[in-house]
Amino acid sequence: MPERPGPAETPARQNTTFPSAGATAHGYLALPPSGRGPGVLVIQEWWGLTDHIADVADRLAAEGFVVLAPDLYGGSVAHDSEEAQRMAKDLPVSRGVELLSGAVDHLLSLPEVTSDTVGAVGFCMGGGFVLYLAAVEPRVSAAVPFYGGLRGELPDFSGLRAHVLGHYGEQDRSIPPRQVEELAETIRRQSGTAPDFRLYPAGHAFFNDRRPSHHPDSAARAWESTVAFLRRLLG
């Protein structure tokens, strides 16, 4: 998923720890103004747990959700696309899903969380992990991949229980519209439920307002529908 390098990021944004995959995991936790609400995971891009991902978590918290963004890289943040690609390749899909399942455990254990299931919102690499996680984790009831590509073999979607709302760019060379259509058909055929995949007049990473690819109108439309989707399914 080539992209021009962005400005150097600060170290990974962490403010919480939790048990996951037999170890202590780190992440960023954001609470809503009321202090309580439905639980949502935010899954990082291939850059790491950056300021942008923490900002997304804060924005969702302002909408009334309890949000946890797990740090899948253990504190590392990429500073250019070559480093990000290497770090993403060094994270096996199975390990990422294991860490995210632990994050679901932790999120649902919090007394501030009012929902019995969680939503999962992810971007780029994290968008793919949203789908990998939802395929095996029935406690994910609302899955929102933003331009999420799947690496290697597709998961078995026959156990998918989540409703899926996906956001993709028509001009995304790494995940072209035909690939999005094929993925939607695979999910529909295996799970019996058609995902709502939406295309926008934008390229890859159009939601990230810290990248040259940011497309404000598409980002605003995708955000509005995502918040409404999460509220409808999580309460």
Side-chain angles (χ1 to χ4, degrees):
M1 301 177 189
E3 188 176 342
R4 290 168 51 194
E9 295 278 359
T10 59
R13 291 287 298 276
Q14 299 175 349
N15 65 3
T16 190
T17 60
F18 56 94
S20 180
T24 298
H26 297 76
Y28 182 83
L29 180 67
L31 298 178
S34 68
R36 305 179 74 242
V40 175
L41 288 182
V42 170
I43 309 177
Q44 68 191 53
E45 295 174 299
W46 68 348
W47 306 106
L49 183 50
T50 61
D51 289 344
H52 168 62
I53 296 301
D55 179 63
V56 173
D58 288 338
R59 290 176 63 187
L60 282 171
E63 296 288 350
F65 301 98
V66 175
V67 187
L68 175 63
D71 188 346
L72 298 181
Y73 289 167
S76 297
V77 173
H79 296 85
D80 57 50
S81 57
E82 289 77 14
E83 186 180 17
Q85 186 174 46
R86 176 185 58 77
M87 292 166 68
K89 285 184 176 180
D90 287 345
L91 176 65
V93 170
S94 59
R95 176 62 176 172
V97 170
E98 186 179 17
L99 289 167
L100 291 168
S101 292
V104 173
D105 289 338
H106 178 63
L107 193 56
L108 289 175
S109 75
L110 295 176
E112 295 88 353
V113 172
T114 59
S115 56
D116 295 325
T117 59
V118 303
V121 181
F123 303 86
C124 181
M125 179 190 78
F129 271 119
V130 164
L131 295 173
Y132 282 117
L133 179 67
V136 299
E137 179 54 80
R139 295 175 297 174
V140 175
S141 59
V144 187
F146 278 74
Y147 30 87
L150 298 173
R151 293 184 283 157
E153 186 176 351
L154 294 180
D156 179 2
F157 289 107
S158 61
L160 180 73
R161 297 293 177 266
H163 295 264
V164 181
L165 171 66
H167 305 294
Y168 294 85
E170 294 174 337
Q171 301 159 23
D172 190 337
R173 290 178 295 175
S174 61
I175 312 173
R178 188 172 76 171
Q179 185 176 327
V180 175
E181 294 172 4
E182 292 172 351
L183 177 59
E185 173 57 24
T186 298
I187 293 173
R188 185 204 61 77
R189 185 177 68 253
Q190 293 184 357
S191 71
T193 302
D196 182 2
F197 281 172
R198 303 182 183 185
L199 292 173
Y200 299 82
H204 190 75
F206 67 81
F207 190 80
N208 191 333
D209 58 7
R210 304 179 186 220
R211 299 288 168 188
S213 51
H214 180 232
H215 193 270
D217 180 65
S218 298
R221 289 164 51 204
W223 178 258
E224 181 179 2
S225 61
T226 294
V227 171
F229 178 75
L230 294 172
R231 283 181 176 154
R232 176 169 62 85
L233 290 170
L234 299 175

